[in-house]
Amino acid sequence: CPITAENAPPSSLNFAVSDGRSLVVIRYRSSPREDPPTLYYRRVPGGVVVASEPSSTDRDALSEWILLGKNRMLSFSPATGVAVECVDPADCD
């Protein structure tokens, strides 16, 4: 049976690209019923930290981590700061 858009298994894509100053991160899942693997971010002075799980051990710092929503893109640059946008308007949470 050939794979088509209707019968293809769901796929996930978490990726990040940076030039050392600016950053773009995407958390995506092709299935409307399933979530992609987690991706968290935390604003820090002068930047942002991104990780698959919060990496703080201090309770107050742990609460600063934000789960990037499904099918969302985070971008950061020193000039504009952090911005989060939907990459699939049909399936963003």
Side-chain angles (χ1 to χ4, degrees):
C1 174
I3 295 177
T4 65
E6 291 76 33
N7 69 5
S11 61
S12 292
L13 176 67
N14 279 2
F15 79 91
V17 64
S18 175
D19 64 3
R21 294 183 45 102
S22 299
L23 173 71
V24 175
V25 178
I26 292 181
R27 179 178 180 236
Y28 180 81
R29 180 75 173 169
S30 64
S31 169
R33 295 175 303 281
E34 299 175 21
D35 286 331
T38 58
L39 203 55
Y40 288 83
Y41 67 97
R42 177 180 176 210
R43 289 179 172 96
V44 295
V48 63
V49 177
V50 178
S52 59
E53 297 293 331
S55 61
S56 302
T57 55
D58 176 84
R59 177 172 281 172
D60 290 333
L62 194 59
S63 67
E64 295 173 4
W65 287 91
I66 301 167
L67 175 64
L68 186 63
K70 178 181 180 183
N71 300 340
R72 299 274 176 177
M73 176 182 72
L74 176 144
S75 59
F76 169 82
S77 76
T80 61
V82 174
V84 176
E85 303 172 50
C86 179
V87 293
D88 184 356
D91 190 24
C92 277
D93 59 359

